[in-house]
């Protein structure tokens, strides 16, 4: 089975840091682009970052300079380092696979994890 | 960035009826790179449609996508109880990837 499992969520103070992890299984992790997508409680989805097979990275303006996406192909794992956290970063963070049907990292997502919850509060 | 506006915000229908959901983009979506996702409470989103009209693996043909440029539609025929959920559109033709705010499909 193709699976993604996130971990590392929790409570952080404003200005603090957290590192999320995503363990992939059931597919060739190294040959797939990967993404993080978040969802604020009761609201919609927001793309947070993407990383290609060549380790090229992409971010929206809302997190650029604060968040860093990375991958370890030997461990089939994806990471999201989140620094200088704000209350608006609170939400459920999903790890997702970029579709191999699209050339390039900017793609739709065909496999999603169940998410890990991040709460930023003092 | 491309802003996606979904309508209606909430759609109340009965099982067996047909649902039509709209997604309008603030500018043309390159290559019609428009996807639709279904999300149920407490679950992750599930890919339904990509490339505006291609069904994802395992998605029944009751779900169909259409449209091009700035106007896209998701149609669900013969609604079943499991279809009542949130639906989001997403464009991936231009960075940053953006999502619509969602349409809630409720049982009438």
């Amino acid at each position: 089975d193709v699976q993604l499992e996130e971990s590392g969520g929790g409570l952080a103070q404003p200005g603090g840091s957290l590192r999320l992890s995503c363990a992939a299984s059931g597919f060739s992790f190294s040959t797939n682009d990967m993404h993080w997508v978040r969802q604020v409680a009761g609201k919609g989805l927001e793309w947070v970052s993407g990383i290609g097979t060549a380790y090229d990275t992409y971010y929206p303006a809302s997190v650029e300079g604060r968040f860093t996406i990375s991958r370890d192909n030997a461990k089939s794992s994806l990471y999201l380092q989140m620094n200088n956290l704000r209350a608006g970063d609170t939400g459920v963070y999903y790890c997702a696979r970029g579709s191999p049907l699209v050339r390039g990292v900017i793609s739709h997502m065909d496999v999603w994890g169940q998410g890990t919850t991040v709460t930023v509060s003092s | 960035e491309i802003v996606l506006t979904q309508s209606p915000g909430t759609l109340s229908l009965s099982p067996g009826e047909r649902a039509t959901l709209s997604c309008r983009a603030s500018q043309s979506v390159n290559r019609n790179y428009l996807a639709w996702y279904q999300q149920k409470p407490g679950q992750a989103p599930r890919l339904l449609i990509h490339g505006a009209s291609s069904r994802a693996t395992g998605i029944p043909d009751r779900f169909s996508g259409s449209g091009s440029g700035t106007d896209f539609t998701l149609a669900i025929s013969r609604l079943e109880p499991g279809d009542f959920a949130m639906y989001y559109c997403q464009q991936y033709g231009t960075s940053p990837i953006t999502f619509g705010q969602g349409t809630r499909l409720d049982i009438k």
Side-chain angles (χ1 to χ4, degrees):
Chain A
D1 270 6
V2 174
Q3 285 191 340
L4 297 170
E5 184 172 355
E6 303 91 340
S7 60
L11 177 65
Q13 293 194 333
S17 299
L18 274 178
R19 188 192 194 212
L20 306 183
S21 299
C22 171
S25 59
F27 67 98
S28 175
F29 180 78
S30 64
T31 61
N32 282 268
D33 301 328
M34 298 296 296
H35 298 269
W36 289 99
V37 177
R38 70 185 177 188
Q39 185 165 34
V40 175
K43 295 194 177 179
L45 301 164
E46 180 186 12
W47 174 68
V48 172
S49 59
I51 186 167
T53 57
Y55 299 92
D56 44 322
T57 59
Y58 303 82
Y59 305 92
S62 57
V63 306
E64 182 127 43
R66 299 189 300 123
F67 290 10
T68 302
I69 188 172
S70 62
R71 63 191 301 161
D72 184 338
N73 289 339
K75 295 182 178 180
S76 294
S77 291
L78 180 73
Y79 305 100
L80 185 67
Q81 177 67 43
M82 304 186 293
N83 297 331
N84 191 18
L85 283 163
R86 307 166 180 167
D89 297 319
T90 294
V92 177
Y93 284 70
Y94 295 101
C95 166
R97 186 177 79 173
S99 172
L101 298 177
V102 177
R103 185 176 179 181
V105 178
I106 305 304
S107 69
H108 61 281
M109 296 88 176
D110 64 351
V111 179
W112 295 66
Q114 284 305 303
T116 187
T117 300
V118 170
T119 303
V120 182
S121 174
S122 55
Chain B
E1 70 178 45
I2 294 179
V3 176
L4 300 178
T5 302
Q6 293 186 239
S7 61
T10 302
L11 184 58
S12 297
L13 294 170
S14 300
E17 291 191 299
R18 176 184 177 86
T20 303
L21 288 67
S22 173
C23 177
R24 178 164 289 179
S26 60
Q27 56 188 278
S28 186
V29 176
N30 286 339
R31 304 183 200 180
N32 293 327
Y33 275 178
L34 194 288
W36 290 93
Y37 298 87
Q38 177 193 69
Q39 187 179 33
K40 297 179 180 179
Q43 296 185 17
R46 176 175 73 144
L47 177 67
L48 298 175
I49 300 287
H50 60 91
S53 61
S54 298
R55 273 186 299 277
T57 303
I59 301 303
D61 59 9
R62 298 185 300 102
F63 291 85
S64 62
S66 62
S68 64
T70 61
D71 290 298
F72 299 88
T73 299
L74 173 69
I76 313 171
S77 63
R78 304 182 306 278
L79 283 168
E80 298 184 355
D83 298 335
F84 293 93
M86 284 293 294
Y87 291 84
Y88 295 95
C89 58
Q90 175 217 5
Q91 71 80 25
Y92 52 99
T94 303
S95 184
I97 294 167
T98 51
F99 292 86
Q101 84 281 13
T103 289
R104 181 187 186 98
L105 180 56
D106 276 349
I107 297 179
K108 190 172 183 180

